[in-house]
Amino acid sequence: MDMSEYKDIFKAESEEHLQQLNESLLGLEQNPKEMEFINTMFRSAHTLKGMSATMGFGTIAELTHEMENLMDMIRKCQVAVNDSLIDILFECLDTLEALVDNVDSDEEVNISHLQATLAQAMDGTICAAESITDAAEDLAASQIEPDSSDEEMVLPEIDLSNEEKESIESAKEDGYNISSLKVVLDESCVLKSARSTLVLINISKLGQIIKCIPSETDLEDEKFDRDFTIIYSTKESDETIEEAIGKISEVKDIEITPLYICDSGEKEESSEEKKASSSAGESTSAVKRPDTVKSIQSVRVNIERLDNLMNLVGELIINKIRLNQLASDLNAKHLDESLANLDRLTNEIQTEVMESRMVPIDQIFSRFPRMVRDLAKSEGKQINLVIEGKEIELDRTVLDEIGDPLVHLLRNAVDHGIEPAEERTKAGKPEAGFVGLSASRQRNSVLIEVEDDGKGMDPEHLRDVAVKKGILSREEVDKLSDTEALNLIFYPGFSGAKVITDVSGRGVGMDAVKTKIEALGGSVKVSSVQGQGSSIKLQLPLTVAIIQSLMVKVAKETYAIPLANVVRDVGIKASEIKTIEGKEVIMLRGEVLPLLRLHDVLDSPYETEEKENLIVVVVERMGQNIGFVVDQLLGQQEVIIKTLDNKLLKNTKGFAGATILGDGSVALILDIATLI
């Protein structure tokens, strides 16, 4: 699965969590006993870990996991918050920031030193005064073998007199090597003074002893434990020195380290240089936090603010239409150029605002593989879920609403659509069932389809269930075609536990799916072939704020029919209308099309005599086409939806809202699902 297209989203959201971590850590530093800070940090780290694991950024996931462990111990009061621990967590955050910034890079970053330090913090072996840098240096120093490096070392604890320094400088000018020789005597040594004296005698033959730690007097008085150090100059090799000392009995260990001696200023400078060199050269070193402030590439805007912006754009478009109408009425051609520019600008603003509300449909689709996997496992079935079109974008408002319907459709497909493996094998199908979830862009709408290759639905069985549930009479269901019978699953009350058993679960809660989709201005179509599978298609508008509509006139009123519901418009002769059981129908393209006169549906007065030529708008409702007879077609228009959400009009059936036309008048938007 290619996740590269989501890197920008990952980076933007990760930066928010890292900012939250930084702020909470600062708060924790000021109030170490305030556990809410650590709880907030834990949640952010956990989210970041999950995001990075999903994206395949294992290093980030690994480091956040270690941080989680430490934070968990803090929450359980198993580790105390101190300056060292705060420094460690800040260092981890800096590293995480660098890792997030470089997710596009293939360069691997070694975080082993941070993991080691976090482990030390959890074990309680890191002291409060240590910084993470010190710890890293200690770790690095501990890994240096005494005889494996030719680099000179600084022993910061050596306090040299001026005379000793001059001896060293003189020896160096003469080509001597300066070394530190640490001798460790055996635990059973009872004559430590004698052994140390022998050591001094032997090495004095090979070079010049500059300093003893402890002093020679203390060595003679045995005022030392079992080890002592000698600073000396020599031209002999280490092996020669070791051989000379090794002859002495009861000497357990010899450690020779090349030594570089400098004054305090040089020492600090050298130390800093080594630190800088270590930081720059080792990928395992702590990441230095940059002092520069990164420019903000994206902002997160509350959806309510985007809704308000969309409403303002809608008002702007309405006023633009109004101005165009006035210019046309006044025949003011000199305004044409200005209005054309206004038209272009408003269209661009509308496009930008709508685009800013769009999010990839994958934000919903990505939830389903796990859900289907778990469901299939619990059912003992094998399911191949194939997802397509995840890059299609939808308005955030629409996207938020379709999650539950899709969950319902997919559960139905897995639970009741796909047969058990044995049944599929007997039917000559592969053991693993196919469930498809796809999205595609179709002009001004998005088509989402959930399909399976399961058992399909039996129309005759659905008819029986409808009669049994008292939804329709036997006479009524017998008149339904197989396609119409499939639409019985959308009737409220058709679902229920008993129905699940009787009809293999198809139709359970489908009325809720249909209601939700149609409330968004979309439509639902079902198709099924028994033994071959089923398909549910959801036609959704790109946005619920602005829709394409077919404007019609009935009596003196103008109405908007959402284009998603319109199949076609046709002109017919009044003489073509037939009557079947008291209801008007026409034959259109070989099919019987029921006719409804919008005058009657909307209770509008007839102002003229029956016309010979009639205009019919064919709309789709629950998989069935119906013809609306209207007085006049005004054409397609983009309308701004004003919802009827006040107390008086909130539950009004038949209308999805209202819009304002160019002349300032109000037109109602028909809701085909509830109109008839």
Side-chain angles (χ1 to χ4, degrees), residues 658-676:
T659 188
I660 301 173
L661 303 178
D663 60 1
S665 61
V666 174
L668 292 171
I669 301 169
L670 300 183
D671 181 9
I672 302 302
T674 59
L675 184 64
I676 51 179

Side-chain angles (χ1 to χ4, degrees), residues 339-388:
L339 289 174
N341 284 333
L342 177 63
D343 192 55
R344 178 180 59 80
L345 290 172
T346 50
N347 286 340
E348 289 180 2
I349 292 173
Q350 178 190 340
T351 301
E352 289 297 323
V353 172
M354 288 182 65
E355 289 292 329
S356 68
R357 297 168 56 91
M358 293 292 185
V359 289
I361 204 168
D362 188 50
Q363 291 196 16
I364 294 291
F365 280 13
S366 60
R367 305 175 189 174
F368 298 134
R370 177 63 187 276
M371 185 197 81
V372 170
R373 176 256 179 202
D374 291 346
L375 191 57
K377 194 172 181 180
S378 65
E379 294 285 328
K381 297 177 180 177
Q382 298 178 40
I383 304 290
N384 289 328
L385 175 65
V386 178
I387 296 179
E388 296 177 345

Side-chain angles (χ1 to χ4, degrees), residues 81-345:
V81 177
N82 54 40
D83 291 343
S84 175
L85 190 142
I86 294 291
D87 287 343
I88 292 169
L89 289 174
F90 269 126
E91 192 73 16
C92 291
L93 291 184
D94 293 344
T95 303
L96 284 176
E97 286 183 6
L99 288 169
V100 169
D101 284 342
N102 292 294
V103 293
D104 295 322
S105 171
D106 294 330
E107 183 181 356
E108 293 186 2
V109 176
N110 190 336
I111 59 168
S112 57
H113 75 292
L114 279 175
Q115 292 174 306
T117 310
L118 286 168
Q120 285 181 309
M122 285 185 276
D123 292 342
T125 54
I126 189 166
C127 65
E130 285 181 320
S131 70
I132 185 169
T133 307
D134 295 334
E137 287 176 351
D138 291 346
L139 179 65
S142 68
Q143 294 172 341
I144 297 174
E145 295 295 333
D147 56 352
S148 62
S149 172
D150 293 333
E151 294 181 1
E152 297 175 323
M153 297 292 295
V154 177
L155 292 184
E157 65 271 23
I158 298 177
D159 184 15
L160 298 173
S161 65
N162 291 333
E163 184 180 352
E164 291 167 341
K165 288 179 181 177
E166 289 175 0
S167 298
I168 290 174
E169 289 301 322
S170 176
K172 288 174 65 177
E173 289 175 1
D174 293 334
Y176 287 86
N177 297 319
I178 312 300
S179 298
S180 166
L181 171 63
K182 183 178 181 181
V183 180
V184 181
L185 301 179
D186 195 272
E187 292 178 356
S188 59
C189 180
V190 293
L191 298 172
K192 295 190 291 183
S193 173
R195 302 307 172 196
S196 61
T197 301
L198 286 173
V199 170
L200 294 178
I201 292 171
N202 283 5
I203 65 170
S204 65
K205 298 175 182 176
L206 303 173
Q208 179 187 359
I209 297 174
I210 298 173
K211 184 180 181 72
C212 287
I213 306 171
S215 65
E216 291 187 37
T217 304
D218 288 340
L219 291 176
E220 291 173 1
D221 296 340
E222 292 193 359
K223 292 181 179 179
F224 67 102
D225 191 8
R226 292 190 296 113
D227 60 274
F228 55 96
T229 302
I230 303 165
I231 308 300
Y232 75 109
S233 62
T234 182
K235 289 185 178 180
E236 301 295 334
S237 64
D238 291 348
E239 290 76 13
T240 305
I241 302 296
E242 289 175 353
E243 184 179 352
I245 301 176
K247 296 176 182 177
I248 304 170
S249 60
E250 297 182 314
V251 172
K252 182 180 181 181
D253 194 17
I254 306 164
E255 183 177 316
I256 301 176
T257 305
L259 186 61
Y260 171 74
I261 304 296
C262 59
D263 61 31
S264 58
E266 291 174 342
K267 186 187 296 183
E268 288 179 7
E269 183 180 354
S270 175
S271 179
E272 291 301 321
E273 287 175 356
K274 282 179 177 287
K275 287 181 182 179
S277 173
S278 176
S279 298
E282 295 287 343
S283 61
T284 57
S285 64
V287 175
K288 185 180 180 182
R289 185 180 177 82
D291 293 332
T292 56
V293 178
K294 291 185 291 185
S295 61
I296 298 172
Q297 300 297 322
S298 63
V299 294
R300 176 166 287 187
V301 182
N302 190 298
I303 193 67
E304 290 182 2
R305 182 159 290 182
L306 285 177
D307 286 343
N308 291 336
L309 188 57
M310 179 57 87
N311 286 334
L312 291 173
V313 170
E315 298 292 337
L316 185 62
I317 292 173
I318 290 170
N319 278 280
K320 178 198 71 175
I321 297 171
R322 176 65 174 155
L323 286 175
N324 282 324
Q325 183 70 42
L326 287 174
S328 175
D329 294 344
L330 296 173
N331 196 22
K333 294 185 178 179
H334 57 283
L335 292 178
D336 286 352
E337 184 177 347
S338 297
L339 289 174
N341 284 333
L342 177 63
D343 192 55
R344 178 180 59 80
L345 290 172

Side-chain angles (χ1 to χ4, degrees), residues 310-519:
M310 179 57 87
N311 286 334
L312 291 173
V313 170
E315 298 292 337
L316 185 62
I317 292 173
I318 290 170
N319 278 280
K320 178 198 71 175
I321 297 171
R322 176 65 174 155
L323 286 175
N324 282 324
Q325 183 70 42
L326 287 174
S328 175
D329 294 344
L330 296 173
N331 196 22
K333 294 185 178 179
H334 57 283
L335 292 178
D336 286 352
E337 184 177 347
S338 297
L339 289 174
N341 284 333
L342 177 63
D343 192 55
R344 178 180 59 80
L345 290 172
T346 50
N347 286 340
E348 289 180 2
I349 292 173
Q350 178 190 340
T351 301
E352 289 297 323
V353 172
M354 288 182 65
E355 289 292 329
S356 68
R357 297 168 56 91
M358 293 292 185
V359 289
I361 204 168
D362 188 50
Q363 291 196 16
I364 294 291
F365 280 13
S366 60
R367 305 175 189 174
F368 298 134
R370 177 63 187 276
M371 185 197 81
V372 170
R373 176 256 179 202
D374 291 346
L375 191 57
K377 194 172 181 180
S378 65
E379 294 285 328
K381 297 177 180 177
Q382 298 178 40
I383 304 290
N384 289 328
L385 175 65
V386 178
I387 296 179
E388 296 177 345
K390 60 191 177 186
E391 72 282 356
I392 300 294
E393 292 188 329
L394 265 178
D395 187 287
R396 179 61 182 263
T397 306
V398 178
L399 203 63
D400 287 342
E401 298 293 329
I402 64 171
D404 290 341
L406 288 179
V407 167
H408 200 90
L409 295 178
L410 286 168
R411 287 185 65 87
N412 268 358
V414 176
D415 277 346
H416 314 297
I418 301 296
E419 314 94 324
E422 313 81 59
E423 195 175 326
R424 290 181 62 85
T425 304
K426 289 180 182 176
K429 296 180 179 179
E431 286 189 1
F434 163 79
V435 174
L437 174 63
S438 62
S440 58
R441 180 79 176 263
Q442 298 189 342
R443 291 202 303 172
N444 294 317
S445 64
V446 167
L447 178 67
I448 299 177
E449 182 175 7
V450 178
E451 58 182 330
D452 64 70
D453 67 347
K455 65 183 72 170
M457 288 181 274
D458 180 3
E460 194 55 40
H461 210 126
L462 295 175
R463 290 187 182 94
D464 293 341
V465 173
V467 173
K468 191 175 180 181
K469 299 286 288 185
I471 296 172
L472 293 175
S473 66
R474 174 55 65 184
E475 292 74 21
E476 289 173 318
V477 297
D478 286 343
K479 294 177 184 175
L480 298 177
S481 66
D482 285 351
T483 302
E484 292 169 338
L486 292 178
N487 284 294
L488 287 171
I489 64 175
F490 296 121
Y491 274 88
F494 197 85
S495 61
K498 191 173 181 179
V499 178
I500 293 174
T501 303
D502 290 342
V503 299
S504 301
R506 284 299 189 187
V508 179
M510 291 298 290
D511 60 315
V513 173
K514 178 175 172 293
T515 301
K516 175 73 79 174
I517 298 302
E518 290 183 342

Side-chain angles (χ1 to χ4, degrees), residues 612-630:
E612 178 57 27
N613 296 316
L614 300 176
I615 299 171
V616 175
V617 177
V618 182
V619 300
E620 183 274 334
R621 178 180 179 273
M622 292 182 63
Q624 182 182 10
N625 290 342
I626 299 171
F628 283 143
V629 179
V630 301

Side-chain angles (χ1 to χ4, degrees), residues 574-587:
S575 57
E576 297 176 28
I577 299 177
K578 308 297 180 186
T579 303
I580 300 177
E581 296 183 352
K583 296 180 180 178
E584 292 183 326
V585 298
I586 60 168
M587 288 298 296

